[in-house]
């Protein structure tokens, strides 16, 4: 907790206050204009009121998710009643459940981000010393947390009594406990996440379990366990003999390359499987907490005779692979301010790209035809044979997804033409986890396979105490696996379902700093006019020492929140079959 208090001391209180004020303003507007339960709130509010009346044996048949939201509300209102602060149990008061959660969301998120891959505490002590690392300063960290808290699909539901905000908060709590190595507390938090959304099992069991497996196996070192540019045979041999995983940085990885020239995801996935099998006892031991959570969820499914609690006829689990296609435009739309440098470097000639965004290695990372063609073909097959349009999607014009699917289905060719968009957005999203690489390669000659085998006869050097900074391929593979499992079983396509995958992805985005704009030498005489000082301070704040994409992201999120909030509050309409009842647009 010392890091948490240090972070607050360093200015985290400012974005926390801004988030609370913004949420309070939005909540006040919603309560004033939409005081009655709206859409799914009708079911949630009714069920919460039953619990507050201690009627634990009644369950609304249309509610599909577990009762975690209502239990949190019960505990919160019990505390408020004890303090004499409760003012009833109407929809407006129940909406405060998510508001009070904001006050713990930010510090929990702060602690979690400080332990995640992109953050480097050393950089705050000596910025110049570590300026070549794509890591976050404390100011950028606070800014990032503010942006995450105002993420539009999340921010919108701060004003409504829905499960999504509290569910994400408990997943974040589990993330913190997992990163701190507090196993017992993590298991308890993991069980709590299952009381909000059934799909949380894939995060607390598969995602965190996968990360734990990768942590329990040492990363193979180039030139020791593996050659500098290993073939797939080198990866198999090294992974089995050393129980080490071939785990390159995302910035150095490719989606292809079975030869010696490229690092790729196939080699890494194969390496994790082989190294895990060769150290099966270690792997199973590390997975005990996650297997326990998986077993507990399995018992619930057996007891419930299914995954969802109510309305089972309209929520039948099915394989819906296009969910893993829709997610990429979703990320691109909301995170375009973060992804635009990758789009520029990937598809625009370098001479037209601003100098401080140059990165030749990003352009080289774009998949070649040998992998691009089969990926595109696979997506086209998925679109053709597995596109599922749930009846609810086209039956309710209050949801934005209604209009998205109206567009996709306007002409039979549109859904196939969209595959090119999926490919480009997926590439930019995954590549962003590697940051903006410099493209420099090591000048040390790569050892041959014979040299590697010769090294096996001697005691290998001890593992390095600190790995090179940056996200590694193992994280991407585990994140993709958990995301896929949490989405492809859902027949409905809703922006809310993508919140946690986006949240985990966003927390691991490295910073981007214009490395070409270095500070001038200390001995150089510089003008000291007031305008120069102002210009220097502005450049430093906006992009030289602060990732400029964060400002763009903030502006973009605020615009989306203002537009969707205004539409929800003031652009109501009526259905002919329900005259006098205002309908509102919602995510």
């Amino acid at each position: 907790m010392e890091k948490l208090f240090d972070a607050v001391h360093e200015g985290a209180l400012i974005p926390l206050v801004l988030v609370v004020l913004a949420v309070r303003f939005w909540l006040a507007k919603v309560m004033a204009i939409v005081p009655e339960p709206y859409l799914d709130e009708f079911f949630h509010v009714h069920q919460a009121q039953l619990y507050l009346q201690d009627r634990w044996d009644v369950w609304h048949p249309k509610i599909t998710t577990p009762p975690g939201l209502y239990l949190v509300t019960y505990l919160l209102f019990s505390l408020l009643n004890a303090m004499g602060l409760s003012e009833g149990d109407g929809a407006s008061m129940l909406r405060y459940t998510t508001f009070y959660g904001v006050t713990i969301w930010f510090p929990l998120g702060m602690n979690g981000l400080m332990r995640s891959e992109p953050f480097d505490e050393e950089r705050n002590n000596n910025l110049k010393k570590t300026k070549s690392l794509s890591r976050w300063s404390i100011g950028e960290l606070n800014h990032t947390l503010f942006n995450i808290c105002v993420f539009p699909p999340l921010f919108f539901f701060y004003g409504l009594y829905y499960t999504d905000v509290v569910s994400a908060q408990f997943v974040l709590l589990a993330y913190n406990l997992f990163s701190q190595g507090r196993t017992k507390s993590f298991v308890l938090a993991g069980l709590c996440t299952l009381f909000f959304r059934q799909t949380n099992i894939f995060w607390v069991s598969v995602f965190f379990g996968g990360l734990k497996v990768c942590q329990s196996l040492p990363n193979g070192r180039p030139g020791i366990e593996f050659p500098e540019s290993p073939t797939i045979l080198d990866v198999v041999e090294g992974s089995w003999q050393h129980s080490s995983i071939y785990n390159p940085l995302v910035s150095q990885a490719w989606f292809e390359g079975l030869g010696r020239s490229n690092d790729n995801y196939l080699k890494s996935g194969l390496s994790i499987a082989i190294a895990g099998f060769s150290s099966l006892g270690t792997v199973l031991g590390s997975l005990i907490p996650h297997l326990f959570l998986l077993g507990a969820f399995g018992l619930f499914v057996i007891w419930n005779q299914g995954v969802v609690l109510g309305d089972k006829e309209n929520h039948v689990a099915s394989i819906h692979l296009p969910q893993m296609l829709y997610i990429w435009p979703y990320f691109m739309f909301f995170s375009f301010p973060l992804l635009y440098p990758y789009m520029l470097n990937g598809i625009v000639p370098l001479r037209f790209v601003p100098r401080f965004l140059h990165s030749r290695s990003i352009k080289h990372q774009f998949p070649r035809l040998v992998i691009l063609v089969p990926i595109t073909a696979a997506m086209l097959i998925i679109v053709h044979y597995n596109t599922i349009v749930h009846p609810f999607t086209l039956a309710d014009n209050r949801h934005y997804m209604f209009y998205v699917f109206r567009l996709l289905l306007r002409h039979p060719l549109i859904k196939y033409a969209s595959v090119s968009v999926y490919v480009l957005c997926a590439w930019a999203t995954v590549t962003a986890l590697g940051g903006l690489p410099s493209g420099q390669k090591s000048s040390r000659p790569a050892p041959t396979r014979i040299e590697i085998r010769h090294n096996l006869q001697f005691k290998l050097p001890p593992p390095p105490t600190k790995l090179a900074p940056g996200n590694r391929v193992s994280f991407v593979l585990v994140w993709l696996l958990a995301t896929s499992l949490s989405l492809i079983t859902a027949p409905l396509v809703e922006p809310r379902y993508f919140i946690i995958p986006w949240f985990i992805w966003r927390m691991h985005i490295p910073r981007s700093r214009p490395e070409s704009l270095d500070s001038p030498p200390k001995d150089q005489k510089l003008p000291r006019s007031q305008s120069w000082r102002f210009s220097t301070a502005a450049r430093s704040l906006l992009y030289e020492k602060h990732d400029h994409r964060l400002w763009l992201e903030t502006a973009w999120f605020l615009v989306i929140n203002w537009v969707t909030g205004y539409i929800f509050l003031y652009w109501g309409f009526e259905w002919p079959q329900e005259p006098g009842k205002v309908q509102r647009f919602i995510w």
Side-chain angles (χ1 to χ4, degrees):
M1 294 299 291
E2 292 181 2
K3 289 186 177 181
L4 176 59
F5 294 130
D6 291 341
V8 173
H9 177 71
E10 291 289 340
L13 187 61
I14 296 176
L16 170 59
V17 171
L18 292 176
V19 169
V20 171
L21 290 177
V23 173
R24 182 65 184 87
F25 175 80
W26 168 240
L27 184 59
K29 285 291 186 181
V30 174
M31 290 192 300
I33 299 176
V34 193
E36 298 300 321
Y38 182 68
L39 241 162
D40 289 356
E41 273 193 314
F42 174 80
F43 310 125
H44 296 309
V45 168
H46 179 257
Q47 188 63 47
Q49 291 171 340
L50 289 175
Y51 275 32
L52 291 174
Q53 298 168 10
D54 293 323
R55 298 178 61 184
W56 304 98
D57 57 333
V58 181
W59 184 258
H60 198 290
K62 289 294 183 180
I63 296 178
T64 62
T65 52
L69 176 65
Y70 323 122
L71 295 175
V72 169
T73 300
Y74 184 87
L75 295 175
L76 177 62
F77 273 62
S78 298
L79 178 62
L80 293 177
N81 287 330
M83 299 171 62
L85 300 177
S86 178
E87 298 182 6
D89 59 356
S92 296
M93 287 303 301
L94 291 174
R95 289 167 181 165
Y96 270 100
T97 302
T98 55
F99 174 73
Y100 289 120
V102 173
T103 59
I104 63 170
W105 169 274
F106 197 92
L108 280 177
M110 173 66 68
N111 200 25
L113 267 180
M114 295 183 73
R115 295 176 181 273
S116 66
E117 192 68 28
F119 181 75
D120 184 18
E121 184 180 10
E122 180 185 3
R123 187 176 179 278
N124 299 290
N125 301 326
N126 192 343
L127 178 62
K128 294 182 179 179
K129 180 179 178 181
T130 59
K131 66 181 181 182
S132 62
L133 302 181
S134 295
R135 297 277 178 127
W136 299 101
S137 68
I138 194 68
E140 291 167 321
L141 180 66
N142 294 333
H143 198 164
T144 298
L145 258 295
F146 174 83
N147 288 350
I148 290 176
C149 288
V150 297
F151 178 55
L154 185 71
F155 184 86
F156 185 90
F157 288 101
Y158 284 140
L160 298 176
Y161 190 64
Y162 272 61
T163 305
D164 306 275
V165 173
V166 184
S167 174
Q169 289 173 344
F170 272 85
V171 172
L172 179 60
L173 174 61
Y175 173 87
N176 278 273
L177 297 172
F178 171 82
S179 64
Q180 297 172 28
R182 299 168 58 182
T183 304
K184 294 181 180 179
S185 299
F186 163 75
V187 171
L188 180 59
L191 289 173
C192 289
T193 65
L194 302 182
F195 277 82
F196 297 94
R197 278 200 176 278
Q198 294 90 328
T199 52
N200 287 343
I201 185 62
F202 298 117
W203 297 104
V204 298
S205 180
V206 177
F207 179 71
F208 294 123
L211 293 183
K212 192 64 177 179
V213 169
C214 295
Q215 292 174 4
S216 66
L217 299 171
N219 286 296
R221 293 155 293 178
I224 300 177
E225 286 87 1
F226 303 105
E228 289 283 352
S229 299
T231 64
I232 195 167
L233 180 59
D234 296 327
V235 170
V236 172
E237 290 181 354
S239 301
W240 179 259
Q241 294 178 7
H242 301 296
S243 297
S244 299
I245 59 176
Y246 178 66
N247 196 16
L249 293 168
V250 175
S251 58
Q252 301 170 355
W254 297 70
F255 285 96
E256 61 197 88
L258 296 182
R260 188 182 292 274
S261 59
N262 300 325
D263 296 328
N264 64 51
Y265 290 80
L266 175 61
K267 292 178 186 175
S268 299
L270 183 62
S271 176
I272 294 172
I274 294 174
F277 187 76
S278 67
S279 300
L280 195 57
T282 301
V283 169
L284 291 178
S286 67
L287 284 177
I288 289 177
H290 311 281
L291 293 175
F292 173 80
L293 292 172
L294 190 61
F297 181 75
L299 291 177
F300 159 76
V301 173
I302 294 174
W303 169 80
N304 186 53
Q305 297 182 350
V307 176
V308 297
L309 287 174
D311 201 19
K312 295 183 179 181
E313 61 276 7
N314 290 318
H315 293 81
V316 179
S318 58
I319 302 300
H320 191 191
L321 297 177
Q323 291 272 31
M324 284 305 296
L325 305 182
Y326 305 144
I327 190 175
W328 308 120
Y330 177 94
F331 276 48
M332 178 60 69
F333 174 76
F334 289 110
S335 296
F336 183 77
L338 299 176
L339 299 177
Y340 88 91
Y342 305 93
M343 302 292 287
L344 286 178
N345 282 277
I347 62 178
V348 177
L350 206 57
R351 65 179 180 274
F352 297 117
V353 178
R355 184 167 57 93
F356 68 91
L357 293 175
H358 279 191
S359 181
R360 296 182 182 274
S361 41
I362 283 184
K363 187 178 292 291
H364 294 160
Q365 281 183 301
F366 196 81
R368 299 191 179 104
L369 288 178
V370 68
I371 191 67
L372 189 60
V373 170
I375 287 179
T376 303
M379 288 185 176
L380 288 171
I381 293 173
I382 290 173
V383 168
H384 183 75
Y385 289 103
N386 197 224
T387 296
I388 298 175
V389 182
H390 196 280
F392 287 179
T393 302
L394 296 180
D396 194 341
N397 64 347
R398 295 171 295 183
H399 292 273
Y400 292 118
M401 292 310 301
F402 169 86
Y403 301 95
V404 172
F405 274 89
R406 282 277 300 271
L407 177 62
L408 284 175
L409 300 177
R410 184 179 296 272
H411 190 279
L413 293 180
I414 293 180
K415 65 178 182 180
Y416 299 107
S418 301
V419 167
S420 60
V421 177
Y422 302 150
V423 171
L424 188 60
C425 294
W427 166 79
T429 301
V430 174
T431 303
L433 290 170
L436 290 172
S438 63
Q440 298 177 350
K441 296 182 179 180
S442 174
S443 59
R444 183 161 57 100
T448 65
R449 188 183 301 179
I450 295 177
E451 292 173 331
I452 294 293
R453 289 175 176 171
H454 176 74
N455 290 338
L456 298 181
Q457 302 174 9
F458 305 95
K459 185 178 180 180
L460 296 174
T465 56
K466 188 175 183 180
L467 296 172
N471 295 307
R472 294 188 172 269
V473 169
S474 60
F475 168 80
V476 177
L477 294 176
V478 174
W479 173 73
L480 286 174
L481 177 62
T483 300
S484 300
L485 293 174
S486 67
L487 292 178
I488 64 175
T489 55
L492 269 172
V493 181
E494 290 199 30
R496 295 179 293 142
Y497 297 167
F498 301 125
I499 288 178
I500 293 179
W502 179 90
F503 176 72
I504 299 295
W505 172 83
R506 182 62 187 87
M507 289 180 68
H508 287 81
I509 292 294
R511 73 186 298 270
S512 171
R513 183 179 178 274
E515 297 180 0
S516 60
L517 300 177
D518 295 325
S519 300
K522 292 182 179 181
D523 58 351
Q524 181 178 345
K525 294 183 179 180
L526 297 172
R528 299 298 180 184
S529 66
Q530 184 175 359
S531 61
W532 178 88
R533 292 175 181 174
F534 176 80
S535 175
T536 301
R539 290 198 310 271
S540 175
L541 178 64
L542 293 178
Y543 64 93
E544 285 189 351
K545 294 184 180 179
H546 194 95
D547 193 335
H548 71 285
R549 298 177 303 167
L550 297 177
W551 299 111
L552 298 177
E553 184 183 38
T554 301
W556 181 232
F557 283 177
L558 293 180
V559 167
I560 295 176
N561 286 331
W562 184 85
V563 171
T564 55
Y566 186 89
I567 290 175
F568 175 76
L569 296 175
Y570 302 109
W571 279 20
F573 63 98
E574 293 184 6
W575 283 344
Q577 64 271 28
E578 296 184 16
K581 185 176 182 180
V582 179
Q583 309 297 336
R584 303 179 186 276
F585 295 101
I586 193 173
W587 284 111

